[in-house]
Amino acid sequence: MHPYLRYAAEKQSEIAGLIREMVECESPSDSPRDVNRFVDLMIERTRDIASARTIASDGFGKHLRLEFDLPGRKKKGQILGVGHSDTVWPLGTLKGMPFREADGRLWGPGVLDMKSGMAFFLYAARALRELDVEVNRKIVMFVVSEEEVGSRTSRPLTEAEAQQSDCVLVLEPGTGLDGKLKTARKGVGNYTVWIEGKASHAGVDYENGANAIVEAARQVERIAEFTDLTRGITVNPGIIAGGTRTNVVPAEARIDVDIRAVRMKDAAALDKKFRALRPVDKRCKLRVDGGLNRPPMERSKAILGLFGKAKRIGSELGVKVNETLSGGGSDGNFTAALGVPTLDGVGGVGEGAHAVNESILVDRIADRTALLAGLLAEL
């Protein structure tokens, strides 16, 4: 058995125990106190192998930077592991959805997205230290506190850390029950189209009104046609709202839209289409706000180079490693857009992120930890 795999297999119960501690330390994005409690837990559990620095954020919990003390005298450059401490689950979720081990899985809120991935990274670093494996680069883990709600305060910090790094490993879960690594992610954006009409009495003065809801309905059809599945572009009008009473011709309406695009040039073309929208009813006015908030993680030669190394290490571990494109975004979108080689989805293998069946496969704990150890040692 490969030394990294043997180490991880021997430590599997410890790794599962750490994952349990993490899951049972609830940390929703909107509760800074509880996110900070989770950060304190991570600092305590790495006190013997890493130096920690926390960074305050406006309205959210602390961000955490861990730099690991690993063998190797001449370290040039840096490998960055990217994680997030926050989850989508509100406080008290554990009461109805407790952590448990059953049916070959660990279950609980945040276990897949993404507390298991961070536990794997910590034990990958421990493996290198305890096996006295010299590393060529500094190993840093940056854990942000508000990824699930857009990374507004952490994005510049993540980008600054990435610009000092030779490559980035994103500890988000893999795709599917075979845990495919993510070599591309769609860019994500949101637009709001505001419609201003003219109010009037729906019975007495109907013809003098300009119906903002009717105009919104016409615009929704136009916007939906921006979707181009052959190019991986999806445009989803997800919320439409407007009006005050049924007997009033509505003066206001809005459309909230989610957009996804594989390539930056397609996102730019979409933006032009949104800005070019014009009212069908000339008595109405349109205003478009928003844009791209996570650039695409485009499948580059540098990313494929990272994936190739992961695939080879996986083969040495006896594990088949595959790749995929994800429609969802992560902080890896930011680092890849800077041109920093980024490999995403190296965390837990399971299913049910953001759902009641959130879980990871127990029998993939060891090989995933070993894969990370191999990447940290060889990159």
Side-chain angles (χ1 to χ4, degrees):
M1 185 181 289
H2 193 285
Y4 300 154
L5 189 59
R6 181 185 302 111
Y7 175 90
E10 291 173 352
K11 298 290 185 178
Q12 183 165 302
S13 62
E14 283 187 25
I15 300 171
L18 177 59
I19 294 170
R20 177 171 193 156
E21 279 191 282
M22 289 178 162
V23 170
E24 291 184 340
C25 186
E26 293 180 292
S27 52
S29 311
D30 60 0
S31 180
R33 181 194 64 180
D34 293 284
V35 169
N36 290 344
R37 194 163 56 91
F38 180 84
V39 168
D40 291 342
L41 171 66
M42 291 196 68
I43 293 172
E44 184 60 34
R45 294 296 174 267
T46 58
R47 194 175 298 281
D48 60 325
I49 61 166
S51 57
R53 178 166 63 92
T54 60
I55 304 165
S57 65
D58 183 16
F60 299 98
K62 297 179 290 189
H63 308 308
L64 172 65
R65 184 185 189 274
L66 294 171
E67 184 171 331
F68 292 87
D69 180 15
L70 299 179
R73 293 182 180 179
K74 298 181 179 179
K75 298 185 177 73
K76 295 182 179 179
Q78 175 174 296
I79 298 173
L80 178 64
V82 172
H84 62 83
S85 53
D86 63 321
T87 75
V88 300
W89 299 99
L91 284 179
T93 297
L94 280 170
K95 293 178 182 177
M97 188 180 162
F99 177 90
R100 61 192 175 95
E101 182 171 355
D103 304 319
R105 302 189 185 203
L106 302 182
W107 307 75
V111 67
L112 178 66
D113 186 13
M114 59 178 295
K115 291 180 175 179
S116 58
M118 292 187 289
F120 298 166
F121 192 92
L122 299 182
Y123 270 86
R126 287 192 178 280
L128 299 179
R129 178 157 166 161
E130 294 184 26
L131 296 174
D132 199 27
V133 177
E134 294 193 356
V135 297
N136 301 314
R137 308 182 195 281
K138 289 193 302 181
I139 307 299
V140 172
M141 183 178 182
F142 191 56
V143 182
V144 309
S145 63
E146 29 66 294
E147 189 272 348
E148 293 290 7
V149 290
S151 304
R152 178 178 59 83
T153 69
S154 62
R155 177 177 180 175
L157 301 171
T158 300
E159 290 176 333
E161 199 69 56
Q163 287 173 323
Q164 300 177 52
S165 304
D166 299 286
C167 60
V168 176
L169 302 174
V170 185
L171 305 172
E172 294 282 356
T175 297
L177 291 178
D178 54 352
K180 291 184 178 71
L181 305 187
K182 297 163 186 177
T183 53
R185 280 186 180 270
K186 290 186 178 183
V188 183
N190 294 282
Y191 287 87
T192 298
V193 180
W194 302 90
I195 300 96
E196 179 186 336
K198 182 183 177 183
S200 67
H201 193 292
V204 177
D205 199 25
Y206 180 83
E207 63 274 15
N208 284 322
N211 194 309
I213 289 177
V214 171
E215 180 64 32
R218 291 167 175 159
Q219 295 297 330
V220 162
E221 288 192 328
R222 287 181 171 180
I223 291 166
E225 289 175 354
F226 296 166
T227 290
D228 185 348
L229 296 179
T230 62
R231 296 183 64 83
I233 299 168
T234 59
V235 180
N236 181 56
I239 299 173
I240 186 167
T244 54
R245 295 179 182 273
T246 58
N247 63 350
V248 178
V249 174
E252 294 181 346
R254 83 166 198 273
I255 311 159
D256 294 334
V257 188
D258 175 280
I259 67 118
R260 313 269 166 155
V262 177
R263 290 169 285 273
M264 193 66 197
K265 64 181 181 180
D266 290 331
L270 270 179
D271 190 72
K272 289 181 179 179
K273 289 182 178 181
F274 274 96
R275 307 297 171 188
L277 289 170
R278 296 293 180 266
V280 176
D281 184 339
K282 302 304 180 183
R283 298 174 299 168
C284 293
K285 297 178 182 179
L286 300 185
R287 187 179 91 243
V288 176
D289 294 333
L292 197 68
N293 54 46
R294 288 187 191 271
M297 174 182 168
E298 299 192 38
R299 188 174 179 268
S300 65
K301 288 184 179 179
I303 288 175
L304 287 178
L306 279 182
F307 172 72
K309 291 178 180 179
K311 189 171 184 177
R312 177 182 55 76
I313 293 168
S315 179
E316 293 171 0
L317 297 171
V319 178
K320 189 173 183 180
V321 175
N322 293 313
E323 62 170 318
T324 190
L325 158 71
S326 174
S330 81
D331 285 347
N333 291 58
F334 302 140
T335 63
L338 295 172
V340 182
T342 300
L343 189 60
D344 205 332
V346 295
V349 180
E351 62 183 345
H354 300 193
V356 294
N357 63 325
E358 184 168 1
S359 56
I360 65 166
L361 301 176
V362 172
D363 65 5
R364 298 302 305 276
I365 291 175
D367 73 73
R368 213 59 166 187
T369 303
L371 175 63
L372 279 167
L375 287 167
L376 296 180
E378 296 190 28
L379 292 177

